[in-house]
């Protein structure tokens, strides 16, 4: 009897010793180890594992241990091991810390019940013979994540930000300052008010602000107030409860306030909002709640608000056409987006970026814009700003058979639009007369006229019709001036 009792005790001791030895072996030989209890909470990590913590978002071990493993280690399968009691001996894990070969083993008590699980990082870098496998896994995982995000976006009926700060092209001091203010605005939960003329890129900036904000993973919802009839605006914002009125959708309709919850609501052309809706939206922004049309149920509204307008809101307030309290609610972080004429040094970079986009959309070669054409573009007032510049470039690209756009072609497009008078480029490159004694006024006027005509002809490549349009004079007047002094204008 005693002999039989001794053997089991020896076997148990050997088993315990083997378990300790194996644990010590893995703890020392592996790239990292993590232990969770039966509830899936992290209870211990070894020294090797601690180096992954900063990449996972934790500087201190104390902040990591005690947390649910699924909340601190992205894409973990430890909970699956706890639920099934089955080990996962070889697997690839990819998260913010990298891609790893891992093993997961359930831990049982003397009765066989699962009381925890042990995670072992077998390797944390790609061995030469495993590199193809890890590369393929990483690519497939990225494609799967992109597909999931796209599917979720389609199901929700919302969209993500399409532009970043890199899309707001330019290196002028005005552009640098706008981007600085916009990045600061993105870090705040306060409303943002974008002020600027039409076509300056206010919507693009709104996308960029959302893309770097804390709500970037949420929806980006746009309401162009000027494009929606006043009678439909309230339903557009608040949505409609099922059967709210005759002809309403039986299932109801979600409004933009609900769709934007958790993300960003962009109110374009806020200055065109009717007074009655202004009061209702002010209450939504203040209380953080609203009621769909035909419903008594309050719904939450929690989103970043970005408003934009090309109108003078201050003047509208003084005229009583825009609520003063709503104005102050929105005018927390005002950002003035400069018109193109105030940043003409960005013309060349904008032409390059717009040319690439036009080529991609049209299938034509990217246009090559000559120096004289750039000078002519930089001299314009651009009442339509970047949107007008794009239109001119697109017309010039389609006008000729060659992808090269010279000053004459630009002058032709600008002259045919009929929107505004063409501006001749400043004749900075032309020789100037040294300052000397004052001469009779007619002589000075005649010299200025000759200089302007010469500049126009140079910009238009000698095309007299285009030069006359640029100068705002008739073709007959131009020929008359050329006849009077042919030598000086040759």
């Amino acid at each position: 009897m005693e002999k039989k009792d001794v053997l089991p005790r020896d076997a148990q001791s050997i088993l315990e010793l083997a378990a300790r030895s194996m644990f010590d072996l893995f703890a020392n030989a592996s790239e990292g180890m993590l232990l969770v209890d039966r509830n899936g909470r992290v209870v211990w990590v070894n020294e090797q594992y601690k180096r992954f913590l900063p990449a996972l978002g934790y500087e201190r071990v104390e902040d990591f241990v005690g947390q649910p493993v699924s909340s601190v280690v992205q894409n973990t399968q430890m909970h699956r091991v706890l639920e099934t009691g089955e080990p996962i001996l070889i697997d690839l894990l990819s998260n913010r810390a990298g891609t790893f070969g891992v093993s997961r083993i359930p831990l049982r008590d003397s009765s066989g019940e699962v009381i925890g699980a042990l995670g072992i990082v077998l390797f944390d870098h790609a061995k030469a013979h495993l590199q193809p496998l890890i590369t393929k896994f990483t690519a497939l995982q990225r494609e799967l994540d992109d597909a999931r995000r796209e599917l979720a976006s389609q199901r929700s009926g919302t969209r993500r930000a399409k532009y970043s700060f890199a899309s707001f092209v330019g290196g002028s001091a005005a552009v640098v300052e706008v981007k600085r203010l916009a990045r600061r605005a993105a870090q705040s939960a306060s409303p943002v008010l974008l002020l600027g003329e039409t076509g300056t890129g206010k919507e693009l900036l709104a996308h960029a602000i959302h893309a770097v904000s804390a709500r970037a993973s949420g929806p980006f919802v746009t309401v162009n107030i000027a494009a929606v009839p006043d009678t439909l605006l309230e339903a557009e914002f608040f949505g409609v409860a099922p059967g709210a009125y005759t002809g309403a959708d039986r299932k109801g309709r979600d409004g933009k306030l609900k769709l934007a919850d958790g993300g960003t609501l962009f109110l374009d052309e806020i200055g065109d909002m009717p007074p009655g809706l202004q009061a209702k939206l002010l209450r939504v922004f203040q209380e953080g709640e609203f009621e769909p049309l035909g419903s008594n149920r309050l719904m939450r509204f929690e989103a970043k608000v970005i408003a934009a307008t090309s109108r003078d809101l201050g003047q509208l307030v003084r005229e009583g056409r825009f609520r003063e309290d709503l104005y102050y609610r929105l005018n927390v972080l005002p950002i003035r987006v400069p018109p193109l004429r105030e940043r003409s040094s960005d013309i060349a970079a904008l032409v390059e970026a717009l040319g690439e986009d036009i080529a991609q959309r049209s299938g034509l070669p990217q246009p090559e814009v000559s120096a004289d054409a750039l000078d002519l573009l930089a001299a314009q007032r651009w009442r339509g700003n970047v949107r007008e510049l794009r239109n001119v470039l697109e017309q010039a690209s389609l006008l000729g058979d060659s992808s090269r756009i010279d000053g004459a072609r630009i002058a032709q497009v600008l002259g045919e639009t009929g929107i505004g008078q063409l501006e001749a480029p400043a004749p900075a490159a032309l020789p100037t007369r040294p300052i000397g004694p004052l001469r009779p006024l007619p002589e000075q006027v005649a010299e200025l006229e000759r200089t302007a005509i010469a500049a126009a002809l140079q910009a238009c490549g000698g095309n007299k019709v285009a030069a006359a349009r640029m100068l705002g004079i008739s073709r007959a007047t131009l020929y008359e001036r050329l006849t009077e002094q042919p030598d000086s204008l040759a």
Side-chain angles (χ1 to χ4, degrees), residues 213-245:
S213 72
R215 300 180 181 272
S217 60
F220 180 86
V221 178
T222 298
V223 183
N224 188 332
I225 296 170
V228 182
D230 291 357
T231 54
L232 300 179
L233 266 175
E234 193 167 347
E236 184 78 5
F237 276 103
F238 296 94
V240 180
Y245 49 82

PDB file of all heavy atoms in Angstrom, residues 213-245:
ATOM      1  N   SER A 213      -9.369  64.852 -36.121  1.00  0.00           N
ATOM      2  CA  SER A 213     -10.008  65.077 -34.829  1.00  0.00           C
ATOM      3  C   SER A 213     -10.193  63.766 -34.084  1.00  0.00           C
ATOM      4  O   SER A 213      -9.971  62.676 -34.628  1.00  0.00           O
ATOM      5  CB  SER A 213     -11.373  65.753 -35.028  1.00  0.00           C
ATOM      6  OG  SER A 213     -12.308  64.826 -35.582  1.00  0.00           O
ATOM      7  N   ALA A 214     -10.636  63.874 -32.843  1.00  0.00           N
ATOM      8  CA  ALA A 214     -10.903  62.674 -32.045  1.00  0.00           C
ATOM      9  C   ALA A 214     -12.094  61.896 -32.574  1.00  0.00           C
ATOM     10  O   ALA A 214     -12.302  60.740 -32.196  1.00  0.00           O
ATOM     11  CB  ALA A 214     -11.138  63.074 -30.583  1.00  0.00           C
ATOM     12  N   ARG A 215     -12.880  62.501 -33.459  1.00  0.00           N
ATOM     13  CA  ARG A 215     -14.066  61.850 -34.024  1.00  0.00           C
ATOM     14  C   ARG A 215     -13.825  61.344 -35.446  1.00  0.00           C
ATOM     15  O   ARG A 215     -14.767  61.109 -36.202  1.00  0.00           O
ATOM     16  CB  ARG A 215     -15.252  62.821 -34.017  1.00  0.00           C
ATOM     17  CG  ARG A 215     -15.627  63.302 -32.623  1.00  0.00           C
ATOM     18  CD  ARG A 215     -16.811  64.249 -32.673  1.00  0.00           C
ATOM     19  NE  ARG A 215     -17.162  64.732 -31.344  1.00  0.00           N
ATOM     20  CZ  ARG A 215     -17.988  64.117 -30.511  1.00  0.00           C
ATOM     21  NH1 ARG A 215     -18.536  62.969 -30.885  1.00  0.00           N
ATOM     22  NH2 ARG A 215     -18.263  64.610 -29.322  1.00  0.00           N
ATOM     23  N   ALA A 216     -12.559  61.187 -35.821  1.00  0.00           N
ATOM     24  CA  ALA A 216     -12.230  60.800 -37.193  1.00  0.00           C
ATOM     25  C   ALA A 216     -12.839  59.459 -37.585  1.00  0.00           C
ATOM     26  O   ALA A 216     -13.144  59.231 -38.756  1.00  0.00           O
ATOM     27  CB  ALA A 216     -10.720  60.762 -37.374  1.00  0.00           C
ATOM     28  N   SER A 217     -13.016  58.558 -36.611  1.00  0.00           N
ATOM     29  CA  SER A 217     -13.596  57.243 -36.928  1.00  0.00           C
ATOM     30  C   SER A 217     -15.113  57.305 -37.083  1.00  0.00           C
ATOM     31  O   SER A 217     -15.741  56.350 -37.536  1.00  0.00           O
ATOM     32  CB  SER A 217     -13.250  56.231 -35.833  1.00  0.00           C
ATOM     33  OG  SER A 217     -13.750  56.656 -34.572  1.00  0.00           O
ATOM     34  N   GLY A 218     -15.719  58.437 -36.705  1.00  0.00           N
ATOM     35  CA  GLY A 218     -17.156  58.604 -36.838  1.00  0.00           C
ATOM     36  C   GLY A 218     -17.537  59.157 -38.194  1.00  0.00           C
ATOM     37  O   GLY A 218     -16.682  59.431 -39.047  1.00  0.00           O
ATOM     38  N   PRO A 219     -18.830  59.328 -38.450  1.00  0.00           N
ATOM     39  CA  PRO A 219     -19.291  59.804 -39.756  1.00  0.00           C
ATOM     40  C   PRO A 219     -19.018  61.289 -39.965  1.00  0.00           C
ATOM     41  O   PRO A 219     -18.922  62.062 -39.014  1.00  0.00           O
ATOM     42  CB  PRO A 219     -20.792  59.522 -39.719  1.00  0.00           C
ATOM     43  CG  PRO A 219     -21.142  59.559 -38.269  1.00  0.00           C
ATOM     44  CD  PRO A 219     -19.951  59.009 -37.532  1.00  0.00           C
ATOM     45  N   PHE A 220     -18.883  61.671 -41.226  1.00  0.00           N
ATOM     46  CA  PHE A 220     -18.780  63.076 -41.619  1.00  0.00           C
ATOM     47  C   PHE A 220     -20.012  63.380 -42.460  1.00  0.00           C
ATOM     48  O   PHE A 220     -20.154  62.881 -43.577  1.00  0.00           O
ATOM     49  CB  PHE A 220     -17.504  63.321 -42.417  1.00  0.00           C
ATOM     50  CG  PHE A 220     -17.328  64.761 -42.851  1.00  0.00           C
ATOM     51  CD1 PHE A 220     -16.731  65.676 -42.009  1.00  0.00           C
ATOM     52  CD2 PHE A 220     -17.765  65.184 -44.091  1.00  0.00           C
ATOM     53  CE1 PHE A 220     -16.570  67.005 -42.396  1.00  0.00           C
ATOM     54  CE2 PHE A 220     -17.617  66.503 -44.496  1.00  0.00           C
ATOM     55  CZ  PHE A 220     -17.011  67.407 -43.638  1.00  0.00           C
ATOM     56  N   VAL A 221     -20.914  64.180 -41.920  1.00  0.00           N
ATOM     57  CA  VAL A 221     -22.215  64.422 -42.550  1.00  0.00           C
ATOM     58  C   VAL A 221     -22.312  65.891 -42.944  1.00  0.00           C
ATOM     59  O   VAL A 221     -22.090  66.780 -42.131  1.00  0.00           O
ATOM     60  CB  VAL A 221     -23.368  64.045 -41.596  1.00  0.00           C
ATOM     61  CG1 VAL A 221     -24.716  64.347 -42.237  1.00  0.00           C
ATOM     62  CG2 VAL A 221     -23.276  62.564 -41.234  1.00  0.00           C
ATOM     63  N   THR A 222     -22.671  66.124 -44.210  1.00  0.00           N
ATOM     64  CA  THR A 222     -22.752  67.482 -44.748  1.00  0.00           C
ATOM     65  C   THR A 222     -24.192  67.875 -45.033  1.00  0.00           C
ATOM     66  O   THR A 222     -24.971  67.069 -45.550  1.00  0.00           O
ATOM     67  CB  THR A 222     -21.940  67.586 -46.055  1.00  0.00           C
ATOM     68  OG1 THR A 222     -20.578  67.309 -45.783  1.00  0.00           O
ATOM     69  CG2 THR A 222     -22.056  68.973 -46.659  1.00  0.00           C
ATOM     70  N   VAL A 223     -24.529  69.111 -44.687  1.00  0.00           N
ATOM     71  CA  VAL A 223     -25.815  69.703 -45.093  1.00  0.00           C
ATOM     72  C   VAL A 223     -25.503  71.014 -45.798  1.00  0.00           C
ATOM     73  O   VAL A 223     -24.988  71.946 -45.178  1.00  0.00           O
ATOM     74  CB  VAL A 223     -26.744  69.976 -43.884  1.00  0.00           C
ATOM     75  CG1 VAL A 223     -28.080  70.513 -44.388  1.00  0.00           C
ATOM     76  CG2 VAL A 223     -26.948  68.725 -43.063  1.00  0.00           C
ATOM     77  N   ASN A 224     -25.790  71.066 -47.104  1.00  0.00           N
ATOM     78  CA  ASN A 224     -25.638  72.319 -47.846  1.00  0.00           C
ATOM     79  C   ASN A 224     -26.961  73.061 -47.748  1.00  0.00           C
ATOM     80  O   ASN A 224     -27.918  72.772 -48.471  1.00  0.00           O
ATOM     81  CB  ASN A 224     -25.280  72.040 -49.304  1.00  0.00           C
ATOM     82  CG  ASN A 224     -24.925  73.326 -50.044  1.00  0.00           C
ATOM     83  OD1 ASN A 224     -25.399  74.404 -49.714  1.00  0.00           O
ATOM     84  ND2 ASN A 224     -24.071  73.197 -51.045  1.00  0.00           N
ATOM     85  N   ILE A 225     -27.020  74.025 -46.832  1.00  0.00           N
ATOM     86  CA  ILE A 225     -28.280  74.690 -46.522  1.00  0.00           C
ATOM     87  C   ILE A 225     -28.828  75.453 -47.720  1.00  0.00           C
ATOM     88  O   ILE A 225     -30.040  75.513 -47.937  1.00  0.00           O
ATOM     89  CB  ILE A 225     -28.080  75.618 -45.308  1.00  0.00           C
ATOM     90  CG1 ILE A 225     -27.727  74.763 -44.085  1.00  0.00           C
ATOM     91  CG2 ILE A 225     -29.315  76.458 -45.040  1.00  0.00           C
ATOM     92  CD1 ILE A 225     -27.266  75.546 -42.893  1.00  0.00           C
ATOM     93  N   ALA A 226     -27.933  76.004 -48.534  1.00  0.00           N
ATOM     94  CA  ALA A 226     -28.389  76.773 -49.690  1.00  0.00           C
ATOM     95  C   ALA A 226     -29.012  75.888 -50.760  1.00  0.00           C
ATOM     96  O   ALA A 226     -29.760  76.374 -51.611  1.00  0.00           O
ATOM     97  CB  ALA A 226     -27.220  77.555 -50.289  1.00  0.00           C
ATOM     98  N   ALA A 227     -28.711  74.575 -50.729  1.00  0.00           N
ATOM     99  CA  ALA A 227     -29.193  73.670 -51.779  1.00  0.00           C
ATOM    100  C   ALA A 227     -30.497  72.971 -51.414  1.00  0.00           C
ATOM    101  O   ALA A 227     -31.060  72.257 -52.237  1.00  0.00           O
ATOM    102  CB  ALA A 227     -28.115  72.630 -52.091  1.00  0.00           C
ATOM    103  N   VAL A 228     -30.973  73.131 -50.171  1.00  0.00           N
ATOM    104  CA  VAL A 228     -32.188  72.451 -49.719  1.00  0.00           C
ATOM    105  C   VAL A 228     -33.307  73.483 -49.561  1.00  0.00           C
ATOM    106  O   VAL A 228     -33.115  74.507 -48.898  1.00  0.00           O
ATOM    107  CB  VAL A 228     -31.949  71.724 -48.376  1.00  0.00           C
ATOM    108  CG1 VAL A 228     -33.209  70.981 -47.932  1.00  0.00           C
ATOM    109  CG2 VAL A 228     -30.780  70.746 -48.494  1.00  0.00           C
ATOM    110  N   PRO A 229     -34.474  73.249 -50.147  1.00  0.00           N
ATOM    111  CA  PRO A 229     -35.597  74.197 -49.980  1.00  0.00           C
ATOM    112  C   PRO A 229     -35.931  74.396 -48.496  1.00  0.00           C
ATOM    113  O   PRO A 229     -35.842  73.451 -47.696  1.00  0.00           O
ATOM    114  CB  PRO A 229     -36.750  73.504 -50.720  1.00  0.00           C
ATOM    115  CG  PRO A 229     -36.082  72.577 -51.690  1.00  0.00           C
ATOM    116  CD  PRO A 229     -34.815  72.125 -51.031  1.00  0.00           C
ATOM    117  N   ASP A 230     -36.334  75.617 -48.147  1.00  0.00           N
ATOM    118  CA  ASP A 230     -36.641  75.941 -46.754  1.00  0.00           C
ATOM    119  C   ASP A 230     -37.684  74.994 -46.160  1.00  0.00           C
ATOM    120  O   ASP A 230     -37.627  74.630 -44.987  1.00  0.00           O
ATOM    121  CB  ASP A 230     -37.130  77.383 -46.638  1.00  0.00           C
ATOM    122  CG  ASP A 230     -36.015  78.390 -46.908  1.00  0.00           C
ATOM    123  OD1 ASP A 230     -34.864  77.945 -47.130  1.00  0.00           O
ATOM    124  OD2 ASP A 230     -36.294  79.607 -46.906  1.00  0.00           O
ATOM    125  N   THR A 231     -38.647  74.579 -46.977  1.00  0.00           N
ATOM    126  CA  THR A 231     -39.729  73.734 -46.465  1.00  0.00           C
ATOM    127  C   THR A 231     -39.259  72.335 -46.098  1.00  0.00           C
ATOM    128  O   THR A 231     -39.941  71.621 -45.363  1.00  0.00           O
ATOM    129  CB  THR A 231     -40.845  73.630 -47.518  1.00  0.00           C
ATOM    130  OG1 THR A 231     -40.279  73.175 -48.757  1.00  0.00           O
ATOM    131  CG2 THR A 231     -41.513  74.980 -47.733  1.00  0.00           C
ATOM    132  N   LEU A 232     -38.101  71.941 -46.620  1.00  0.00           N
ATOM    133  CA  LEU A 232     -37.597  70.588 -46.358  1.00  0.00           C
ATOM    134  C   LEU A 232     -36.435  70.561 -45.367  1.00  0.00           C
ATOM    135  O   LEU A 232     -36.006  69.487 -44.952  1.00  0.00           O
ATOM    136  CB  LEU A 232     -37.144  69.934 -47.670  1.00  0.00           C
ATOM    137  CG  LEU A 232     -38.210  69.770 -48.763  1.00  0.00           C
ATOM    138  CD1 LEU A 232     -37.594  69.124 -49.995  1.00  0.00           C
ATOM    139  CD2 LEU A 232     -39.370  68.931 -48.245  1.00  0.00           C
ATOM    140  N   LEU A 233     -35.954  71.743 -44.997  1.00  0.00           N
ATOM    141  CA  LEU A 233     -34.757  71.788 -44.153  1.00  0.00           C
ATOM    142  C   LEU A 233     -34.979  71.153 -42.789  1.00  0.00           C
ATOM    143  O   LEU A 233     -34.109  70.444 -42.267  1.00  0.00           O
ATOM    144  CB  LEU A 233     -34.293  73.235 -43.978  1.00  0.00           C
ATOM    145  CG  LEU A 233     -33.216  73.718 -44.964  1.00  0.00           C
ATOM    146  CD1 LEU A 233     -32.936  75.197 -44.748  1.00  0.00           C
ATOM    147  CD2 LEU A 233     -31.939  72.911 -44.826  1.00  0.00           C
ATOM    148  N   GLU A 234     -36.137  71.401 -42.185  1.00  0.00           N
ATOM    149  CA  GLU A 234     -36.381  70.872 -40.851  1.00  0.00           C
ATOM    150  C   GLU A 234     -36.365  69.348 -40.857  1.00  0.00           C
ATOM    151  O   GLU A 234     -35.769  68.712 -39.981  1.00  0.00           O
ATOM    152  CB  GLU A 234     -37.706  71.404 -40.304  1.00  0.00           C
ATOM    153  CG  GLU A 234     -37.877  71.150 -38.819  1.00  0.00           C
ATOM    154  CD  GLU A 234     -39.031  71.943 -38.226  1.00  0.00           C
ATOM    155  OE1 GLU A 234     -39.534  72.861 -38.900  1.00  0.00           O
ATOM    156  OE2 GLU A 234     -39.434  71.619 -37.094  1.00  0.00           O
ATOM    157  N   ALA A 235     -37.016  68.743 -41.845  1.00  0.00           N
ATOM    158  CA  ALA A 235     -37.009  67.283 -41.957  1.00  0.00           C
ATOM    159  C   ALA A 235     -35.607  66.778 -42.263  1.00  0.00           C
ATOM    160  O   ALA A 235     -35.210  65.706 -41.799  1.00  0.00           O
ATOM    161  CB  ALA A 235     -37.973  66.840 -43.052  1.00  0.00           C
ATOM    162  N   GLU A 236     -34.836  67.561 -43.041  1.00  0.00           N
ATOM    163  CA  GLU A 236     -33.468  67.177 -43.375  1.00  0.00           C
ATOM    164  C   GLU A 236     -32.614  67.076 -42.117  1.00  0.00           C
ATOM    165  O   GLU A 236     -31.804  66.153 -41.964  1.00  0.00           O
ATOM    166  CB  GLU A 236     -32.869  68.206 -44.340  1.00  0.00           C
ATOM    167  CG  GLU A 236     -31.482  67.872 -44.850  1.00  0.00           C
ATOM    168  CD  GLU A 236     -31.483  66.829 -45.947  1.00  0.00           C
ATOM    169  OE1 GLU A 236     -32.575  66.421 -46.391  1.00  0.00           O
ATOM    170  OE2 GLU A 236     -30.388  66.417 -46.354  1.00  0.00           O
ATOM    171  N   PHE A 237     -32.801  67.996 -41.190  1.00  0.00           N
ATOM    172  CA  PHE A 237     -32.017  67.999 -39.961  1.00  0.00           C
ATOM    173  C   PHE A 237     -32.553  67.004 -38.929  1.00  0.00           C
ATOM    174  O   PHE A 237     -31.806  66.198 -38.378  1.00  0.00           O
ATOM    175  CB  PHE A 237     -31.996  69.400 -39.341  1.00  0.00           C
ATOM    176  CG  PHE A 237     -30.947  70.300 -39.914  1.00  0.00           C
ATOM    177  CD1 PHE A 237     -31.283  71.296 -40.815  1.00  0.00           C
ATOM    178  CD2 PHE A 237     -29.623  70.157 -39.555  1.00  0.00           C
ATOM    179  CE1 PHE A 237     -30.311  72.130 -41.346  1.00  0.00           C
ATOM    180  CE2 PHE A 237     -28.642  70.982 -40.069  1.00  0.00           C
ATOM    181  CZ  PHE A 237     -28.989  71.973 -40.981  1.00  0.00           C
ATOM    182  N   PHE A 238     -33.844  67.073 -38.637  1.00  0.00           N
ATOM    183  CA  PHE A 238     -34.401  66.343 -37.499  1.00  0.00           C
ATOM    184  C   PHE A 238     -34.899  64.946 -37.840  1.00  0.00           C
ATOM    185  O   PHE A 238     -35.088  64.117 -36.953  1.00  0.00           O
ATOM    186  CB  PHE A 238     -35.539  67.152 -36.871  1.00  0.00           C
ATOM    187  CG  PHE A 238     -35.079  68.457 -36.276  1.00  0.00           C
ATOM    188  CD1 PHE A 238     -35.130  69.628 -37.007  1.00  0.00           C
ATOM    189  CD2 PHE A 238     -34.568  68.503 -34.984  1.00  0.00           C
ATOM    190  CE1 PHE A 238     -34.695  70.826 -36.477  1.00  0.00           C
ATOM    191  CE2 PHE A 238     -34.131  69.692 -34.442  1.00  0.00           C
ATOM    192  CZ  PHE A 238     -34.193  70.860 -35.185  1.00  0.00           C
ATOM    193  N   GLY A 239     -35.132  64.683 -39.120  1.00  0.00           N
ATOM    194  CA  GLY A 239     -35.703  63.395 -39.484  1.00  0.00           C
ATOM    195  C   GLY A 239     -37.203  63.371 -39.255  1.00  0.00           C
ATOM    196  O   GLY A 239     -37.785  64.300 -38.689  1.00  0.00           O
ATOM    197  N   VAL A 240     -37.824  62.291 -39.679  1.00  0.00           N
ATOM    198  CA  VAL A 240     -39.275  62.174 -39.609  1.00  0.00           C
ATOM    199  C   VAL A 240     -39.641  60.842 -38.965  1.00  0.00           C
ATOM    200  O   VAL A 240     -39.131  59.786 -39.351  1.00  0.00           O
ATOM    201  CB  VAL A 240     -39.903  62.267 -41.018  1.00  0.00           C
ATOM    202  CG1 VAL A 240     -41.420  62.154 -40.931  1.00  0.00           C
ATOM    203  CG2 VAL A 240     -39.498  63.572 -41.694  1.00  0.00           C
ATOM    204  N   ALA A 241     -40.515  60.873 -37.965  1.00  0.00           N
ATOM    205  CA  ALA A 241     -40.995  59.649 -37.321  1.00  0.00           C
ATOM    206  C   ALA A 241     -41.929  58.905 -38.265  1.00  0.00           C
ATOM    207  O   ALA A 241     -42.543  59.513 -39.147  1.00  0.00           O
ATOM    208  CB  ALA A 241     -41.714  59.996 -36.018  1.00  0.00           C
ATOM    209  N   PRO A 242     -42.069  57.585 -38.104  1.00  0.00           N
ATOM    210  CA  PRO A 242     -42.971  56.811 -38.969  1.00  0.00           C
ATOM    211  C   PRO A 242     -44.398  57.360 -38.922  1.00  0.00           C
ATOM    212  O   PRO A 242     -44.960  57.594 -37.853  1.00  0.00           O
ATOM    213  CB  PRO A 242     -42.905  55.398 -38.383  1.00  0.00           C
ATOM    214  CG  PRO A 242     -41.586  55.343 -37.675  1.00  0.00           C
ATOM    215  CD  PRO A 242     -41.358  56.724 -37.138  1.00  0.00           C
ATOM    216  N   GLY A 243     -44.984  57.615 -40.094  1.00  0.00           N
ATOM    217  CA  GLY A 243     -46.349  58.089 -40.169  1.00  0.00           C
ATOM    218  C   GLY A 243     -46.574  59.462 -39.597  1.00  0.00           C
ATOM    219  O   GLY A 243     -47.674  59.786 -39.134  1.00  0.00           O
ATOM    220  N   ALA A 244     -45.545  60.304 -39.594  1.00  0.00           N
ATOM    221  CA  ALA A 244     -45.669  61.632 -38.984  1.00  0.00           C
ATOM    222  C   ALA A 244     -46.696  62.491 -39.703  1.00  0.00           C
ATOM    223  O   ALA A 244     -47.371  63.310 -39.086  1.00  0.00           O
ATOM    224  CB  ALA A 244     -44.310  62.327 -38.978  1.00  0.00           C
ATOM    225  N   TYR A 245     -46.845  62.318 -41.007  1.00  0.00           N
ATOM    226  CA  TYR A 245     -47.833  63.078 -41.748  1.00  0.00           C
ATOM    227  C   TYR A 245     -48.202  62.291 -43.002  1.00  0.00           C
ATOM    228  O   TYR A 245     -47.546  61.308 -43.360  1.00  0.00           O
ATOM    229  CB  TYR A 245     -47.306  64.470 -42.132  1.00  0.00           C
ATOM    230  CG  TYR A 245     -45.936  64.467 -42.776  1.00  0.00           C
ATOM    231  CD1 TYR A 245     -45.781  64.198 -44.134  1.00  0.00           C
ATOM    232  CD2 TYR A 245     -44.795  64.728 -42.010  1.00  0.00           C
ATOM    233  CE1 TYR A 245     -44.532  64.198 -44.720  1.00  0.00           C
ATOM    234  CE2 TYR A 245     -43.551  64.732 -42.585  1.00  0.00           C
ATOM    235  CZ  TYR A 245     -43.414  64.466 -43.945  1.00  0.00           C
ATOM    236  OH  TYR A 245     -42.176  64.458 -44.509  1.00  0.00           O
TER     237      TYR A 245
END
